[in-house]
Amino acid sequence: MTTYFVTGTDTDAGKTLVASGLLALARRRGLTTLGLKPVASGCESTAEGLRNIDALTLQAQSMPTPPYATLNPYAYAPAIAPHLAARRASRIPTLDALVAHVAEPLAEKRDLTLIEGAGGWRVPLNDDEDLAGLAVRLELPVILVVGLELGCLNHARLSAEAIRADGLPLAGWVGNLIDPGLSFDEVADEACYRDNLATLERTLEAPCLGIVPRLAADTPDARARAAADYLTLPGDA
């Protein structure tokens, strides 16, 4: 095991579901885990400060459990692009600051550490840097979460090309069923569904770490544990 950067084909592709599922799977094996969400917008105000549901979900699957500030140092209230939320808050992150912040938790060398990005691969961090630059600076292999819906073949291939163009290996990809339609509805058109998955497997040229269906679980912890049933840890694929 090692450290991976988790990105998605788009906002709401299922990064947190997959990341928490992978952490839950590692915990089943008795491994130590850590999930980091360095930058998050759409946070809620609490007595302890701003809290992000995605970051809290990763915290719940991290063992030993880290302080919230360790996994989500930059939390913003507006549910908008992180660099815009940061500008409104007058607290703009930089790659240098993020690299410095994650240095200590990464030094703990847990069995599996996942750093979850925000949005897709090219989401801006500030006016001059992208959040993907954190993965580049740390030279991390990348796990791509593909939101399975009409149009995802293009989004997935472009994301994979961008990751490799930045000099990083694609360690694997996970399909997450978002909105079943004709293209990704196994019941309505099984042949089309299988053909689409085969296209992703062929064109992404990386191991498939799982296909997560729509889950009935209704809490973040239950969803993480349910997703784990459909996942394979990187390196095991």
Side-chain angles (χ1 to χ4, degrees), residues 89-100:
S90 299
R91 184 168 180 258
I92 299 176
T94 64
L95 287 179
D96 283 343
L98 291 185
V99 169

Side-chain angles (χ1 to χ4, degrees), residues 98-108 138:
L98 291 185
V99 169
H101 180 86
V102 301
E104 184 173 346
L106 291 184
E108 294 183 17
L138 297 175

Side-chain angles (χ1 to χ4, degrees), residues 162-173:
I163 291 165
R164 292 186 172 111
D166 284 344
L168 298 178
L170 186 59
W173 64 276

Side-chain angles (χ1 to χ4, degrees), residues 17 148 175-178 193 211-216 223 226-227 230:
L17 176 63
L148 298 179
N176 177 48
L177 191 58
I178 294 178
Y193 174 78
I211 303 296
V212 181
R214 300 184 79 180
L215 302 172
R223 286 174 60 80
Y230 300 93

Side-chain angles (χ1 to χ4, degrees), residues 183-215:
S183 294
F184 286 99
D185 189 333
E186 188 173 10
V187 175
D189 193 333
E190 182 178 0
C192 186
Y193 174 78
R194 296 297 173 188
D195 283 348
N196 272 310
L197 292 182
T199 299
L200 286 170
E201 291 177 351
R202 183 178 69 254
T203 58
L204 292 183
E205 299 180 340
C208 177
L209 303 179
I211 303 296
V212 181
R214 300 184 79 180
L215 302 172

Side-chain angles (χ1 to χ4, degrees), residues 14-35:
K15 296 185 301 297
T16 302
L17 176 63
V18 169
S20 62
L22 288 170
L23 294 172
L25 179 56
R27 288 181 61 187
R28 285 182 187 174
R29 299 187 181 183
L31 303 175
T32 56
T33 58
L34 177 62

Side-chain angles (χ1 to χ4, degrees), residues 148-182:
L148 298 179
E149 58 184 346
L150 187 63
C152 72
L153 301 183
N154 176 63
H155 295 161
R157 295 180 68 183
L158 288 176
S159 297
E161 288 173 8
I163 291 165
R164 292 186 172 111
D166 284 344
L168 298 178
L170 186 59
W173 64 276
V174 175
N176 177 48
L177 191 58
I178 294 178
D179 186 17
L182 182 59

